[in-house]
């Protein structure tokens, strides 16, 4: 199925297709299509003023959110300098530099210093650190705000009996994070097994 028919501007549509195809060629782990569709839907309903993204990579999901939600300003954090440079160039190519603000650095250092209040947070960076990203972000999320996390099932390993050694510690942390979300007094959470697993958490209040 054509993935970008919802983009009305033809030039943007073809630029988006290129960005998507290039990311796949370069094996950048961009947001998968079904998860992206779920995020689109939440953005269309929520109409967030301010979005925080943890894990920009080359800017695909940030640019996509900016196109879906034309009144949103997006703070997006990327620690890898090469990816940050590529993201910056892509954001400029779409003329989105006023609405997509790239913060280069480690989210573990940067989130707590962010000054805004967020209506929507998308976490898609190092899977073993989700608990810490979330903790740092909590106080900045307005009541009724939504947090979506990607790769919550990590190739099925979160539910598997045998996990390859190199993933064990990360998967263990991801499992703890599932429980943190599901038992959190301030959030109502669902975890969906679409694509690589996404969680949706709505802040009470
Ligand atoms: N959201 C992107 C894909 C992100 S891939 C999209 O769908 O288009 C995950 C990215 O998170 C990688 O580029 C990685 O460098 C970055 N990352 C991992 N840990 C990070 C951290 N602690 N702080 C900031 N970025 C991080
Ligand atoms: Mg992801």
């Amino acid at each position: 199925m054509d993935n970008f028919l919802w983009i009305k501007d033809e030039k943007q549509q073809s630029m988006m297709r290129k960005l998507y195809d290039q990311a796949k060629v370069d094996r950048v782990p961009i947001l998968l299509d079904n998860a992206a569709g779920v995020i689109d839907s939440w953005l269309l309903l929520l109409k967030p003023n301010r979005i925080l993204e943890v894990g920009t990579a080359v800017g695909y999901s940030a640019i996509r959110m900016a196109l879906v939600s034309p009144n949103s300003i997006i703070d997006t954090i990327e620690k890898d300098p090469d990816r940050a440079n590529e993201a910056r160039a892509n954001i400029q190519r779409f003329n989105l530099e006023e609405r997509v603000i790239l913060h280069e650095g480690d989210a573990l250092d940067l989130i707590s210093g962010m000054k805004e209040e967020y209506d929507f947070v998308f976490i898609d960076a190092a899977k073993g650190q989700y608990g810490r990203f979330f903790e740092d972000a909590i106080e900045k999320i307005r009541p009724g705000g939504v947090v979506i996390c990607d790769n919550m099932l990590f190739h099925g390993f979160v539910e598997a009996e045998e996990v390859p050694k190199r993933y064990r510690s990360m998967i263990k942390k991801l499992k703890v994070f599932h429980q943190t979300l599901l038992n959190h007094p301030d959030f109502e959470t669902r975890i969906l097994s679409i694509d690589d697993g996404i969680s949706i958490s709505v802040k009470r209040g």
Side-chain angles (χ1 to χ4, degrees):
M1 208 185 87
D2 191 322
N3 207 3
F4 298 115
L5 289 177
W6 54 273
I7 302 176
K8 306 294 188 293
D9 181 298
E10 270 178 38
K11 191 170 157 247
Q12 277 185 345
Q13 198 187 89
S14 87
M15 282 167 63
M16 202 57 180
R17 218 169 257 127
K18 256 188 218 148
L19 175 57
Y20 178 90
D21 291 342
Q22 192 60 48
K24 295 271 169 175
V25 168
D26 296 339
R27 295 173 179 273
V28 181
I30 58 168
L31 189 57
L32 297 173
D33 301 343
N34 290 310
V38 170
I39 290 179
D40 290 358
S41 311
W42 277 94
L43 296 179
L44 292 168
L45 282 165
L46 265 181
K47 300 186 175 62
N49 289 322
R50 199 98 189 183
I51 296 173
L52 174 64
E53 176 180 68
V54 184
T56 318
V58 296
Y60 166 71
S61 53
I63 291 168
R64 181 174 177 130
M65 289 194 284
L67 297 183
V68 172
S69 191
N71 295 316
S72 301
I73 294 181
I74 302 165
D75 288 301
T76 181
I77 306 176
E78 174 57 52
K79 76 169 179 189
D80 180 280
D82 293 337
R83 284 200 171 156
N85 282 338
E86 222 176 297
R88 212 171 277 119
N90 286 327
I91 291 161
Q92 271 172 14
R93 217 165 270 143
F94 279 81
N95 279 321
L96 285 171
E97 56 270 52
E98 286 187 3
R99 288 204 297 120
V100 181
I101 302 159
L102 181 69
H103 303 261
E104 188 176 336
D106 193 323
L108 294 174
D109 303 326
L110 295 181
I111 298 175
S112 52
M114 307 297 269
K115 296 278 180 285
E116 306 295 330
E117 184 182 57
Y118 293 99
D119 309 289
F120 187 84
V121 176
F122 176 47
I123 299 179
D124 188 20
K127 315 311 160 197
Q129 293 166 349
Y130 275 19
R132 294 173 63 193
F133 300 143
F134 178 72
E135 282 306 319
D136 288 353
I138 285 181
E139 60 174 33
K140 301 173 193 303
I141 304 168
R142 72 155 169 85
V146 174
V147 182
I148 291 189
C149 302
D150 191 28
N151 310 98
M152 287 292 283
L153 298 177
F154 201 76
H155 312 301
F157 288 133
V158 171
E159 291 175 314
E161 280 173 23
E162 280 294 314
V163 177
K165 218 169 177 176
R166 66 184 185 284
Y167 292 145
R168 261 176 221 162
S169 126
M170 180 265 282
I171 294 294
K172 210 166 149 189
K173 288 186 199 155
L174 205 45
K175 279 183 171 171
V176 170
F177 182 56
H178 276 221
Q179 292 311 311
T180 303
L181 283 182
L182 290 167
N183 298 317
H184 203 291
D186 298 334
F187 289 84
E188 180 73 27
T189 294
R190 299 293 180 275
I191 298 172
L192 309 183
S193 51
I194 59 165
D195 289 339
D196 201 25
I198 61 171
S199 61
I200 302 164
S201 306
V202 181
K203 193 171 188 185
R204 294 183 218 278

